[in-house]
């Protein structure tokens, strides 16, 4: 695979001597127009990489906040095709910020793997995080993705032992996403000492950058992770912020985009100050 946006972004972060901020929102949440405005505004608010959730009816690894965001998006008409359209529109104004699609295999399988990868590359997608495809299933999507020039980013968890890690790392590219707690997203936070030890262990198995997520809700927590890892990932806290700015009918209140981007800016400030 040729070097892409993800590798270039982490090289730039290393040159700046800091960790990155990876932000997650669900494609089409709470509606296509609001989501597009959020997506387009994230880099300016300080997001270094963006994870865009592929809406799915049964997001089993996600906690209540992200599950709800997926259902809101689907209710508003989100689809895999429309997710790629969001990326395509984003690329008209931003050629550099990496976008990673995160989700489950079913929507991609239904779309058709070859067609999906061709359309994803054309739209400007840089990577995939597919949480329900283990290394034993690499021929399904991972290897075709790598062949198409799309990074396949793997999750490692506190229960991924040294015996398992080589298999997890075998075809991983872009970065490794360390899930700092066992369980579903958005529920708890890990201790810094545990994160530091886990990042060091992963670094013994890979030269790839390590991004750490799950449970980061504040600028202070983002900063503490940024001192230990190559990037801090924030998802549920941003998605919750979106939900908190909806009215009783689930429609966005005035100022939603500005409020959410302001929250992201605070997280980015924490990450940037971590090694200052």
């Amino acid at each position: 695979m040729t070097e892409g946006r993800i590798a270039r972004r982490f090289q730039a972060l290393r040159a700046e001597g800091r960790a990155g901020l990876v932000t997650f929102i669900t494609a089409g949440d709470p509606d296509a127009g609001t989501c597009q405005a959020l997506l387009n505004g994230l880099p300016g608010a300080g997001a270094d990489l963006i994870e865009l959730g592929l809406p799915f009816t049964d997001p089993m690894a996600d906690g209540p906040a992200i599950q709800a965001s997926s259902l809101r998006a689907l209710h508003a008409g989100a689809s895999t095709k429309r997710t790629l359209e969001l990326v395509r529109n984003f690329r008209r104004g931003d050629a550099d910020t990496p976008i990673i699609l995160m989700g489950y295999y079913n929507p991609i399988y239904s779309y058709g793997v070859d067609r999906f990868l061709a359309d994803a590359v054309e739209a400007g997608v840089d990577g995939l995080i597919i949480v329900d495809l283990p290394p034993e299933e690499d021929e399904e999507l991972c290897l075709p993705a790598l062949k198409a020039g799309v990074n396949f980013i793997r999750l490692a968890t506190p229960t991924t032992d040294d015996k398992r890690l080589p298999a997890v790392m075998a075809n991983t590219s872009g970065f490794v996403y360390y899930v700092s707690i066992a369980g579903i997203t958005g529920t708890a936070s890990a201790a810094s000492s545990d994160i530091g030890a886990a990042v060091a262990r992963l670094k013994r198995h890979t030269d790839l950058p390590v991004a750490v997520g799950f449970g980061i809700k504040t600028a202070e927590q983002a900063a503490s992770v940024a001192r230990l890892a190559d990037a801090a990932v924030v998802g549920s806290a941003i998605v919750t912020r979106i939900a908190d700015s909806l009215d009783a009918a689930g429609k966005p209140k005035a100022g939603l985009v500005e409020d959410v981007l302001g929250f992201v800016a605070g997280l980015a400030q924490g990450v940037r100050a971590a090694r200052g």
Side-chain angles (χ1 to χ4, degrees), residues 48-235:
D48 296 298
L49 298 91
I50 299 168
E51 290 177 6
L52 189 60
L54 272 171
F56 182 47
T57 51
D58 186 26
M60 57 196 172
D62 293 303
I66 291 178
Q67 284 191 19
S69 73
S70 210
L71 293 176
R72 283 195 302 269
L74 291 168
H75 182 69
S79 65
T80 302
K81 184 178 180 182
R82 288 183 175 182
T83 298
L84 295 176
E85 189 63 30
L86 287 169
V87 179
R88 196 174 290 113
N89 292 338
F90 174 85
R91 283 284 170 240
R92 294 194 179 107
D94 188 316
D96 300 316
T97 304
I99 289 190
I100 299 109
L101 297 185
M102 184 171 187
Y104 299 81
Y105 184 44
N106 186 282
I108 295 171
Y109 178 80
S110 300
Y111 194 96
V113 168
D114 292 343
R115 177 178 162 232
F116 171 79
L117 289 171
D119 289 354
V121 169
E122 184 271 329
V125 170
D126 301 292
L128 298 173
I129 301 174
I130 306 301
V131 299
D132 57 347
L133 274 183
E136 289 74 17
E137 307 293 335
D138 273 358
E139 290 183 8
E140 287 283 331
L141 180 62
C142 173
L143 297 180
L146 295 175
K147 192 174 178 183
V150 177
N151 287 129
F152 200 86
I153 295 145
R154 200 85 69 182
L155 302 177
T157 73
T159 58
T160 311
D161 60 22
D162 285 329
K163 189 177 175 183
R164 179 67 174 162
L165 267 175
V168 170
M169 300 297 182
N171 293 308
T172 299
S173 66
F175 61 92
V176 178
Y177 184 162
Y178 178 66
V179 176
S180 59
I181 54 166
I184 56 174
T185 57
T187 51
S189 307
S192 293
S193 56
D194 295 339
I195 293 171
V199 170
R201 186 167 73 89
L202 289 170
K203 294 282 192 180
R204 291 196 290 271
H205 288 267
T206 183
D207 293 329
L208 291 170
V210 177
V212 174
F214 278 47
I216 301 172
K217 296 180 175 69
T218 66
E220 292 73 24
Q221 288 173 330
S224 67
V225 168
R227 291 185 194 102
L228 302 165
D230 298 298
V233 186
V234 185

